[in-house]
Amino acid sequence: MPEPAPPLAPTLAVIGGGQLARMMAEPAAAMGLPLRLLAEAEGVSAAQVIPDHTVGDYRDLTTLREVTAGCPVVTFDHEHVPTEHLHALEADGVAVRPGPEALVHAQDKGVMRERLAALDVPCPRNAIVTSAAEVEDFGFPCVLKTTRGGYDGKGVWFVRDAAELEKVGAEAFAAATTSGVRIIAEELVDFRRELSALVARSPSGQAAAYPVVASTQKDGICHEVIAPAPDLSPELAGRAQEIALRIAGALDVTGVLAVELFETDDGRILVNELAMRPHNTGHWTQDGAVTSQFENHLRAVLDLPLGAPEPRARWTVMVNILGGPDAGVGRLYDGYPHALARDPHLRVHLYGKELRPGRKVGHVNAYGDDLDDCLERARHAASWFRGDLGNESE
Amino acid sequence: MPEPAPPLAPTLAVIGGGQLARMMAEPAAAMGLPLRLLAEAEGVSAAQVIPDHTVGDYRDLTTLREVTAGCPVVTFDHEHVPTEHLHALEADGVAVRPGPEALVHAQDKGVMRERLAALDVPCPRNAIVTSAAEVEDFGFPCVLKTTRGGYDGKGVWFVRDAAELEKVGAEAFAAATTSGVRIIAEELVDFRRELSALVARSPSGQAAAYPVVASTQKDGICHEVIAPAPDLSPELAGRAQEIALRIAGALDVTGVLAVELFETDDGRILVNELAMRPHNTGHWTQDGAVTSQFENHLRAVLDLPLGAPEPRARWTVMVNILGGPDAGVGRLYDGYPHALARDPHLRVHLYGKELRPGRKVGHVNAYGDDLDDCLERARHAASWFRGDLGNESE
């Protein structure tokens, strides 16, 4: 094999081979930005589309150093790289974006809650708890979360009363002990709906705020997003964007920051979670915004000027394609003929993954002037790919 | 290296590692469609973004067979694969799209002119010529073209009078003899402007026609495209689309067909060239249409239903980034900070190529409601990347 030519642009290292890295690869290819990937295994989602990839363990510093060697900047598909390794890479001279001091707030809910309180950002009432008795003192109903390692509904327990605490408390504290993390109790917010405020921020401090969206969860996993959030008052939308921009600035976030929020019936917004990477609630931007969250993440971490975050359509609806309980019959590709023929405006994103129960394997975007039409189109297509429609009357 | 998992979708073989294949890789990644590439060399444009690639010679049947093994369909970045090899692949059971019977019309201008005449498609007056005397008989001014192998202004000679014929005739006939092709003489059309009608067509016969665009050439290379063509009468636009659809159907084209046209002052349109692949005059669709030409090419050759070809903006302007005579100072990437900061709505496409004199290395798209604004933004950005602006007052 002849020696490859020197790169035309700085090579960006990306840690983690999931679909977020895969979707970064699309704008990277478009913009001529070379990527180097650390993938968990051969054939994972992003490794299918990024030639310059290494298979290895992101918890191993030697591997991280090999992958980032010669790369001025490293960014992430997920938030699980150990903080001490990020500091070591910084000491090597690699710009870690987002940096470890910022990222810890997306990794550790205890640290996040403490910091947001100091920033006077409205959050659900919360406290670190170390025993069932402390949970009772905190009060019901509440939700218990491991401070680290939880995602997509894992590491989360709902506790409505003492009886439920009896059932799940032991499991929660055992899980925390096993993985060496803490448990945080949070009031169970009686929210009207969930919102998400997504911003991109560059090391120079430039920031771009996307329209605030409404998201619907199913079993703790993002299921559907409407952009912009319907009937959201401009005042509340502005406040949500202001909160996201304030957090991004105060924490010195570089790249995309997603702030998941609860909107309460009495017109408050409370921060639920932070993510410092492209986020499921931002997938609508691929087809619904001038600049996708993936492109703006790349532009932000490379300290290039950000692209316009404005919407290109009145409404964009994103629905995830998630394996149902009976998933696995047929191949996802077989959903294409009907879904595309029914809706020539539909945008389909598949991640190169087999359909399995509970697994996110893709999403669809439908945009247009009529929200009901977008909802119907996106829901139909996602159900079709999932294989749900056989048992449903349309 | 562990055995990769079986593909989730049929693998599409793509012959040729240029920017057209690279730009196919973006929607392929988005849609979860695996590609296998035959690249001319390691590190070429498409090989940078398609992991499953082989380096080899597309004129070698054994290589073609290795690359297409197990692929139900093969398509192309260029039109230069020998016809007999395409027939051999078809005999192997690979669906060649576009097929050799169609593709020959994009490969051989003599065959193309003969066929279009039989289809009653308006063309410039033309004749195969074998000597300077026959060119004189044909009449001046005319343009001489090699029937095969010409592109981007190569293999083309303008002959305004006998003196010019004396100068270039020998060169033209020598070039034809050397490469074993013929020379076709065509009347030099006194055109008002050049148009392009782009359609996608699937093996099932479904077709989608993009809006007709106006293109401007510089030194025989596409330089600028305005979509849709300004002040084009609906009648003429319809006729251009009808011609493209008729050709696609009659020739059984699969994939994208670009029909380059002359619009004359007296309201006629004449076919100039055919291309059976995504085309430079269709790059605006990446940011300006619901479905890009690259995605519709993939959908067409895989016989998936086509996506809507309609525009997403009132105007989209595409300007190529082409190395000027002084190209080569600095790196293309260095153009990003200014270009992106000046215009957050600008869409930049770079092909992973070094800037060299005369080389197409990327393009920009600017869309919006105001044509003059789009033109100014796209031209400024392209000039900036080319490095032209140092010597120009803005």
Side-chain angles (χ1 to χ4, degrees), chain A residues 1-10 22 25-33 42-43 46-53 286-292 295 299 302-308 310 312-313 316 331-333 336-338 340-354 367, chain B residues 1-10 22 25-33 42-43 46-53 286-292 295 299 302-308 310 312-313 316 331-333 336-338 340-354 367:
Chain A
M1 197 162 66
E3 197 67 30
L8 305 175
R22 181 187 179 104
E26 297 163 33
M31 296 183 71
L33 304 174
E42 196 55 57
Q48 296 169 20
V49 300
I50 301 177
D52 184 4
H53 65 258
Q286 292 176 305
D287 303 297
V290 173
T291 315
S292 83
E295 179 172 328
R299 288 162 74 153
L302 292 169
D303 208 10
L304 293 172
L306 302 177
E310 25 178 293
R312 288 195 73 176
T316 304
R331 292 189 310 173
L332 213 42
Y333 180 80
Y336 268 126
H338 167 76
L340 300 182
R342 185 179 192 267
D343 185 356
H345 292 77
L346 183 74
R347 310 300 303 149
V348 184
H349 301 264
L350 299 183
Y351 309 151
K353 296 178 168 185
E354 291 277 10
Y367 59 81
Chain B
M1 198 161 66
E3 197 66 31
L8 306 174
R22 181 188 180 104
E26 297 164 33
M31 295 183 72
L33 304 173
E42 195 56 56
Q48 295 169 21
V49 300
I50 301 176
D52 185 3
H53 65 258
Q286 293 176 304
D287 303 298
V290 173
T291 315
S292 83
E295 180 170 329
R299 287 162 75 154
L302 291 169
D303 207 10
L304 293 172
L306 301 177
E310 25 177 292
R312 288 194 73 177
T316 304
R331 294 189 308 174
L332 213 42
Y333 180 79
Y336 268 127
H338 167 76
L340 299 182
R342 184 180 193 267
D343 185 355
H345 293 77
L346 183 75
R347 310 299 304 147
V348 184
H349 301 263
L350 298 184
Y351 308 151
K353 295 179 168 183
E354 291 277 9
Y367 59 81

